Amino acid sequence: MRIGDVDVRGLARLAPMAGATNAPFRLVARECGSGLTTTEEMDAASILHETPHAVSATAYYPAERPVAMQLLGKDAEALAAAAARCEALGADVVDLNMGCPVPKITGKGKGAALMRDVPAAARILRAMRAAARIPLTIKIRGGWDDAHLNAVEVAEMAEAEGVDAITVHPRTRAQQFTGKAPWTIIAEVVDAVRIPVTGNGDVHTMADARRMMAETGCRSVMIGRGALGRPWVFDEGYDALPPISRRAYRARVIARHVDLIQEHCSEKYALIQLKKHLSWYTEGLGHARECRVALFQARSADEVWEIFQRYWARAEREHAPVLEPATA
Ligand SMILES: Cc1cc2nc3c(=O)[nH]c(=O)nc-3n(C[C@H](O)[C@H](O)[C@H](O)COP(=O)(O)O)c2cc1C
């Protein structure tokens, strides 16, 4: 799939997730096969004021490219200036967040609240379109709530304003992340516009991704929670590997991710990131709950890594007979 002149690559790509999809995790996902990745949401004002958080969130590895930067805001002028700033920072695509359901964001008229006032959203997109030459995309929800399911109306408006692609997470703002994502809304948006549509919501495997594409006609798929602790989900060949190779693959990816976190993040942030991501990596490992408790009590990056490796080695020992080749 292409977004403007950007080749998205890959069937599925990592969804933006605040606090998780920073440069190390995005690069690991990319190396596992994710297409175009997206930074976590960043307020337009933070970008323009170059706050430490915005500087860290917009940092990316050259090997990640193409990379999309996602903006949050409601002021057309600020969002337009921030879009131009993203372009200057090297973003390949700029994305407007129209789906964040968090009350402290929607309460300020940002995120999913933009879907409530379509003419105002059109003015914002027009200003952003005029300010940046790179492709412009939006990420929307099904609507504000069940009484206001206007994803199709918003998508049609966005296409008319020159938006290059749309991602649809079809839950409403009221649903937050609960219940099942109604994929039929993705199909309705696909039918309504000619620009490429990416589907998102409840995809945990490549088989789910293919099913979403077949059922909705979307051109690519974004995976969010299904990629936390499982970036290998983006590797189409992963499921066909024998268990012993899958385990070695996972070990390699986790070690790489740990190295990247330590290289990229400040000492304090690295500790938080290691605890978070290594906890997600314990999913499916023996004694996961016990391991997570120990991880969160650790005081240094070395200690966190040492604890994880100890539990990993223990799981390896306990599962060893299962992992022996059949001929052994
Ligand atoms: C912890 C967390 C943080 C998120 N942060 C963002 C964000 O910064 N920008 C955004 O557009 N969506 C964000 N989302 C929504 C995801 O991108 C995605 O739309 C949602 O999780 C549904 O996809 P999934 O079922 O594959 O997880 C976030 C979701 C989670 C769970």
Side-chain angles (χ1 to χ4, degrees), residues 15-18 41 70 97 139 169 177 200-202 223-225:
M17 284 177 285
E41 60 193 21
Q70 189 186 62
N97 180 316
K139 183 161 176 280
H169 173 208
F177 294 101
N200 168 234
D202 297 344
I223 305 181
R225 290 162 299 174

Side-chain angles (χ1 to χ4, degrees), residues 4-24:
D5 57 358
V6 174
D7 188 358
V8 171
R9 292 190 295 228
L11 191 73
R13 54 203 179 98
L14 182 64
M17 284 177 285
T21 54
N22 46 25

Side-chain angles (χ1 to χ4, degrees), residues 206-275:
M206 274 296 169
D208 290 344
R210 282 196 204 88
R211 191 164 56 82
M212 177 184 266
M213 290 171 88
E215 286 181 17
T216 69
C218 67
R219 303 265 285 279
S220 84
V221 170
M222 257 188 193
I223 305 181
R225 290 162 299 174
L228 295 174
R230 303 171 63 241
W232 40 81
V233 70
F234 296 107
D235 188 332
E236 292 195 57
Y238 177 79
D239 287 338
L241 294 173
I244 196 156
S245 309
R246 286 209 293 264
R247 212 167 167 81
Y249 185 144
R250 292 200 299 268
R252 262 197 323 276
V253 169
I254 295 169
R256 166 87 170 140
H257 192 179
V258 166
D259 282 348
L260 290 171
I261 288 174
Q262 290 187 296
E263 168 193 298
H264 180 81
C265 307
S266 68
E267 197 179 332
K268 191 172 160 207
Y269 189 52
L271 182 57
I272 297 168
Q273 282 293 301
L274 287 171
K275 287 183 179 184

